[in-house]
Amino acid sequence: MKGRRIAFLANTAWSMYNFRMSTLTMLQKLGAEVIVIAPPDDYSVRFSSFGIRFVPLYRLKAKGTNPLADFRLYQEFIAVFKRIEPHLLISYTIKPNIYGILAARSLHIRSIAVITGLGYGIAKGGIMRAMVERLYRFSLRHASSVWFLNKDDHAYFTDRRMLGLAASKVIPGEGISVEHFKRKVAYPDGETTKFIYSGRLLYDKGVADFVEAIRVLRKEGLAVEGVLLGFTDTLNPSAISSDTVEAWEREGVIRYLGKTSDVRPFIEQIHCMVFPSYYSEGIPRCLLEAASMEVPAITTDHVGCREVVIDNTTGFLTTPKDIASLVAGMRRFAQLPTEERVSMGKAARDRVVQHYRDQFIHAIYVQQINEILQSPAQ
């Protein structure tokens, strides 16, 4: 590991900073030179304070299926890789996992593709799904290893023969620091049950369903409050606009807290995380954060989500795209006594400590990276 140059390729600097920073600094402490490659955003400048080099990308866009634009992205990957000469590339999300892996292969650079969810291209279906799957079949066979964050996604790629002869494995998410995400104040009491959605504000993640559920519960006379925390107007095709969020606020159905680089003060003041996603999740970060801070969650019985929440033990599972089911789950939680909520929260943290703490993920990275770097060059 010492003296090795490891490049991490992602579609946002924000995701690298918020989801993988502990892994980056861990590898750095072991003597690796760590480089982050991503489109520049508000988080790009933060890596330098950790001694991590940031290399900007300018052609990586979340939207778009233009073959010429994708070829130019592939050329940009090659130019960047030639300049920094990494010993290993670790990539995340669809375009980095397709064009980044192919660019690395053309330069004989070993690579790991991390499948963080099926993504919009596959979820959309039709011609888009067929195209993405075909590109994956072509690219992933050239990866040294392919990692999945849940068994459902691994089964999907395996059943459709998208891996070729590439080695693959399922890892328990991307890890979370249970020391960082630790409750510092008592679980809140009070007559009003506070529900929060935390994450990118996307229709596919059930944000509009959450808002409607709050609307229904209030009409029923229940004392509930709905809070949104996260980005609006992202480049994702399913993004909810700031105008829509402002309209919800004017109606009085929710409060919007904006975006933040530290969710902890918000999470420890609420009673329940609600994440009614029908998006193709890997392992939802917000569910791990809430659980680590002893907050129960209501989420969908869907890929990735059901990996974290145990129905009736650490929270409730509801049916995807079913507002009535979501309302029932939130109503049930709102009627629980505080001691049962606290018990659920403690069970949630115990599960994270046992299965999802970042030390487990770090060990996997170290073992796999060492094995790949010590193997004969392709």
Side-chain angles (χ1 to χ4, degrees), residues 12-257:
T12 64
W14 171 84
S15 64
M16 290 304 306
Y17 185 87
N18 283 283
F19 300 164
R20 302 162 192 130
M21 199 65 208
S22 67
T23 298
L24 303 184
T25 54
M26 176 274 299
L27 293 172
Q28 187 183 53
K29 289 176 182 177
L30 292 177
E33 179 185 351
V34 177
I35 301 171
V36 172
I37 309 169
D41 58 31
D42 293 343
Y43 288 78
S44 308
V45 298
R46 303 191 183 196
F47 296 101
S48 61
S49 62
F50 294 89
I52 293 173
R53 180 180 170 190
F54 178 80
V55 177
L57 289 171
Y58 299 102
R59 295 190 179 277
L60 179 53
K61 309 294 182 184
K63 286 184 177 181
T65 56
N66 184 314
L68 180 58
D70 287 347
F71 179 68
R72 288 173 175 167
L73 173 63
Y74 169 77
Q75 289 180 312
E76 184 180 26
F77 285 152
I78 289 180
V80 169
F81 298 163
K82 282 183 176 180
R83 189 165 73 247
I84 65 176
E85 297 182 327
H87 297 101
L88 176 68
L89 174 73
I90 303 178
S91 62
Y92 306 83
T93 68
I94 292 179
K95 289 190 177 182
N97 282 340
I98 292 174
Y99 302 113
I101 295 298
L102 291 175
R105 191 260 182 183
S106 72
L107 299 172
H108 305 287
I109 298 168
R110 297 175 174 89
S111 60
I112 297 171
V114 184
I115 308 298
T116 57
L118 298 185
Y120 178 80
I122 290 178
K124 187 175 181 180
I127 295 176
M128 175 72 76
R129 174 185 293 174
M131 181 178 68
V132 171
E133 290 185 357
R134 185 173 183 178
L135 288 169
Y136 263 139
R137 287 189 190 95
F138 184 63
S139 67
L140 292 182
R141 63 183 178 178
H142 299 298
S144 304
S145 186
V146 183
W147 298 356
F148 296 84
L149 305 188
N150 63 65
K151 59 182 181 295
D152 293 287
D153 288 350
H154 183 254
Y156 185 96
F157 274 66
T158 302
D159 291 346
R160 285 159 178 77
R161 301 180 180 179
M162 294 161 64
L163 297 175
L165 298 177
S168 64
K169 68 186 294 120
V170 179
I171 66 174
E174 300 196 70
I176 188 167
S177 171
V178 297
E179 291 77 25
H180 183 73
F181 288 95
K182 187 174 184 179
R183 176 170 290 281
K184 295 182 178 179
V185 300
Y187 183 87
D189 208 337
E191 295 182 0
T192 300
T193 301
K194 298 179 180 179
F195 295 103
I196 190 172
Y197 170 95
S198 175
R200 291 181 297 163
L201 301 189
L202 305 179
Y203 285 104
D204 286 352
K205 290 181 181 284
V207 175
D209 293 356
F210 170 65
V211 174
E212 178 60 22
I214 292 291
R215 190 181 284 122
V216 171
L217 292 173
R218 284 189 167 180
K219 288 180 180 178
E220 292 179 358
L222 287 176
V224 299
E225 180 181 3
V227 176
L228 297 178
L229 178 66
F231 293 91
T232 61
D233 294 319
T234 65
L235 294 177
N236 190 291
S238 180
I240 295 173
S241 70
S242 56
D243 289 344
T244 298
V245 174
E246 289 172 6
W248 288 336
E249 282 200 289
R250 286 194 301 271
E251 180 188 345
V253 65
I254 57 96
R255 284 193 300 125
Y256 176 51
L257 302 177

